[in-house]
Amino acid sequence: EPEVTQTPSHQVTQMGQEVILRCVPISNHLYFYWYRQILGQKVEFLVSFYNNEISEKSEIFDDQFSVERPDGSNFTLKIRSTKLEDSAMYFCASTLGYEQYFGPGTRLTVT
Amino acid sequence: QKEVEQNSGPLSVPEGAIASLNCTYSDRGSQSFFWYRQYSGKSPELIMFIYSNGDKEDGRFTAQLNKASQYVSLLIRDSQPSDSATYLCAVLSGNNRLAFGKGNQVVVIP
């Protein structure tokens, strides 16, 4: 069964450094998303992406964040200058219609 | 007002019993509703979706939707220890983004 994959599974970085989180959505899906979940809190929407452009972003997704689909398979989330409060699980999701399927997540730890 | 509310505390149920979870949402225009299961340290796993008023059954799971009252519920019949997890209610909002509730932890006691 096709699934969303994400790399790395765990990323440790120092405050102020740039990180890139990678996702490979399910191959025939058209809509792609990033969500995050701070430990003990609810899953929060960051950004949605369709037809090679951002379709919606949350207030969390400020100028430090960017997304890209550099080729036909990868979907990346870049955080330019990480802060301590960016420490969270980051989930990529994709869908063909309404049902969104999540990847296993990347645990980002900012020290 | 929160978009999606799940207010019950942890739910302990004996093995074989029915677990019942509830969720309310604020946007009366919402059309699509989802239940995800999340094991500790893992990602959300889609287990049910429902778009029409009424009940939808899939195996041991039943989702119920009442748009007039703006609530969605999930029943887990014949609960198994493997059902022990946090169950997340999610509503499709805006431009196809999911708004999640904070989740309800279910503990199935053997």
Side-chain angles (χ1 to χ4, degrees):
Chain A
E1 188 172 318
E3 54 186 25
V4 178
T5 59
Q6 290 185 244
T7 54
S9 56
H10 191 189
Q11 173 94 45
V12 181
T13 189
Q14 289 189 324
M15 199 166 49
Q17 296 298 302
E18 175 184 286
V19 294
I20 297 176
L21 310 183
R22 291 182 167 81
C23 168
V24 179
I26 295 172
S27 62
N28 63 334
H29 284 186
L30 301 175
Y31 301 85
F32 315 115
Y33 306 82
W34 285 100
Y35 293 84
R36 80 171 186 189
Q37 187 176 31
I38 294 171
L39 187 65
Q41 298 187 23
K42 67 179 182 179
V43 178
E44 300 175 289
F45 167 77
L46 292 178
V47 65
S48 58
F49 193 85
Y50 170 70
N51 202 24
N52 281 321
E53 60 183 29
I54 291 173
S55 46
E56 189 176 355
K57 58 184 181 180
S58 71
E59 60 276 7
I60 302 168
F61 195 89
D62 61 21
D63 291 345
Q64 294 301 310
F65 290 85
S66 63
V67 289
E68 195 176 41
R69 188 157 163 81
D71 52 43
S73 59
N74 290 282
F75 179 50
T76 63
L77 174 70
K78 181 193 290 187
I79 309 175
R80 269 180 263 282
S81 177
T82 49
K83 306 182 186 73
L84 293 176
E85 54 265 36
D86 293 328
S87 295
M89 283 289 286
Y90 287 80
F91 298 112
C92 174
S94 71
T95 185
L96 189 56
Y98 296 131
E99 300 95 51
Q100 295 183 23
Y101 295 91
F102 282 68
T106 293
R107 179 175 299 282
L108 177 64
T109 302
V110 182
T111 61
Chain B
Q1 186 180 10
K2 293 177 185 168
E3 282 189 274
V4 181
E5 291 209 52
Q6 294 179 258
N7 284 329
S8 303
L11 180 66
S12 292
V13 295
E15 185 172 353
I18 295 175
S20 177
L21 304 171
N22 296 312
C23 167
T24 58
Y25 59 93
S26 60
D27 183 359
R28 187 169 285 279
S30 298
Q31 297 293 324
S32 306
F33 308 88
F34 306 86
W35 283 99
Y36 285 83
R37 178 174 62 197
Q38 187 175 33
Y39 293 112
S40 182
K42 302 295 186 183
S43 63
E45 174 192 2
L46 181 63
I47 55 171
M48 288 289 290
F49 54 89
I50 186 166
Y51 305 141
S52 304
N53 274 331
D55 294 1
K56 179 182 178 184
E57 189 174 312
D58 184 359
R60 294 185 296 109
F61 298 101
T62 299
Q64 299 172 318
L65 173 61
N66 184 322
K67 290 185 181 179
S69 301
Q70 294 177 241
Y71 83 77
V72 195
S73 62
L74 179 71
L75 299 178
I76 308 173
R77 288 183 302 283
D78 188 24
S79 296
Q80 301 297 309
S82 59
D83 295 326
S84 296
T86 297
Y87 290 80
L88 310 178
C89 175
V91 177
L92 203 63
S93 296
N95 203 354
N96 272 9
R97 64 172 173 82
L98 287 174
F100 282 87
K102 64 181 183 179
N104 286 123
Q105 186 182 9
V106 172
V107 178
V108 180
I109 302 165

